[in-house]
Amino acid sequence: MKDTTLAKIDNLIERYPALSVCRQSITEAVEALCTTYKNGGKVIVCGNGGSASDSEHIVGELMKGFVKKRPITDELYEKMKAVCPNEADYLRDNLQEALPAISLMNAVALNSAFANDQAPDLAMAQQVLGLGRPEDILIGISTSGNSANVIYAVQLAKTLGIKTIGLIGNRQCRMQNLCDIVIAAPELETYKIQEYHLPIYHLLCIAVENEFFEK
């Protein structure tokens, strides 16, 4: 891991001293995410309610430039010129390199159909079954750590050999012993846990971006 990435983790702890208890798990999560991308995998994210919004937020930070510009490569630009010479410059100047990520919360038709036809609490697991590959990584977000649909998604991921990260709160829960890496925000109330989840996953996105993009 780059020294600049480690410095970003230090900066998070300086701004949120209570998160010092999460330093090791945050570092492990960054390393696991980087391994996923180095192996050609993607990040899969899921959660309920506010955590569903967090899932979408994480994908938004990974799939485009976050704190860096992420210009496309010269190799890709040359391919663009071969396919669409009149639009190549516009594409080059506005597109950004992505870190592949998908939220399981935005498949409204699939989720509602599966909930109606099969089992509502297995809709996320169904998507993991269809989309997940061993080189991927799943981030399950649950302030209680006991959300049944998230737990089923984590269980299915582990069945498929997919590494799992749990973003939870500071209480005994099922996800604590189920996920490969657990980042437990040091709070018990839902909104306070969510207040810590945001800077944590911002840091994860910033750190991974820093590892893969120079400019």
Side-chain angles (χ1 to χ4, degrees):
M1 193 180 299
K2 297 177 181 177
D3 289 341
T4 51
T5 303
L6 294 173
K8 292 180 187 301
I9 298 175
D10 291 339
N11 180 258
L12 173 71
I13 304 303
E14 289 173 7
R15 292 184 292 116
Y16 299 92
L19 293 180
S20 60
V21 296
C22 303
R23 181 193 292 270
Q24 181 60 37
S25 57
I26 288 172
T27 302
E28 291 176 2
V30 172
E31 293 172 340
L33 288 164
C34 289
T35 297
T36 289
Y37 284 128
K38 287 175 182 176
N39 291 338
K42 62 183 176 294
V43 172
I44 302 170
V45 200
C46 62
N48 297 294
S51 298
S53 297
D54 289 333
S55 299
E56 295 287 328
H57 193 159
I58 291 170
V59 171
E61 309 299 15
L62 291 173
M63 285 287 288
K64 59 175 287 298
F66 186 13
V67 298
K68 295 192 174 187
K69 295 296 184 182
R70 304 195 203 171
I72 65 168
T73 63
D74 292 338
E75 179 183 4
L76 182 57
Y77 175 53
E78 291 302 319
K79 291 180 179 180
M80 288 174 174
K81 288 196 293 184
V83 172
C84 46
N86 294 331
E87 292 83 13
D89 287 355
Y90 178 71
L91 294 173
R92 177 199 60 193
D93 294 342
N94 289 282
L95 291 177
Q96 298 173 314
E97 292 289 344
L99 292 165
I102 186 170
S103 167
L104 301 185
M105 315 321 301
N106 59 14
V108 178
L110 172 59
N111 285 340
S112 59
F114 194 83
N116 184 63
D117 298 340
Q118 298 297 126
D121 55 2
L122 292 180
M124 295 180 188
Q126 177 64 28
Q127 288 195 69
V128 173
L129 179 60
L131 295 170
R133 299 293 181 267
E135 61 269 20
D136 297 336
I137 193 165
L138 174 75
I139 301 177
I141 310 173
S142 172
T143 56
S144 70
N146 291 314
S147 302
N149 52 359
V150 176
I151 287 172
Y152 286 134
V154 171
Q155 290 174 331
L156 210 290
K158 292 177 72 68
T159 300
L160 299 176
I162 297 169
K163 194 136 189 172
T164 57
I165 297 173
L167 269 178
I168 63 173
N170 188 29
R171 58 167 64 95
Q172 292 294 318
C173 62
R174 292 186 66 189
M175 286 178 65
Q176 194 171 41
N177 298 317
L178 180 61
C179 296
D180 297 304
I181 299 170
V182 175
I183 305 176
E187 278 292 351
L188 297 174
E189 293 186 75
T190 296
Y191 78 93
K192 292 180 180 179
I193 296 169
Q194 291 172 330
E195 287 174 354
Y196 278 132
H197 279 178
L198 190 148
I200 289 170
Y201 67 68
H202 264 175
L203 181 279
L204 297 180
C205 296
I206 289 170
V208 175
E209 182 181 63
N210 191 64
E211 287 292 302
F212 286 91
F213 300 98
E214 294 295 332
K215 295 182 180 180

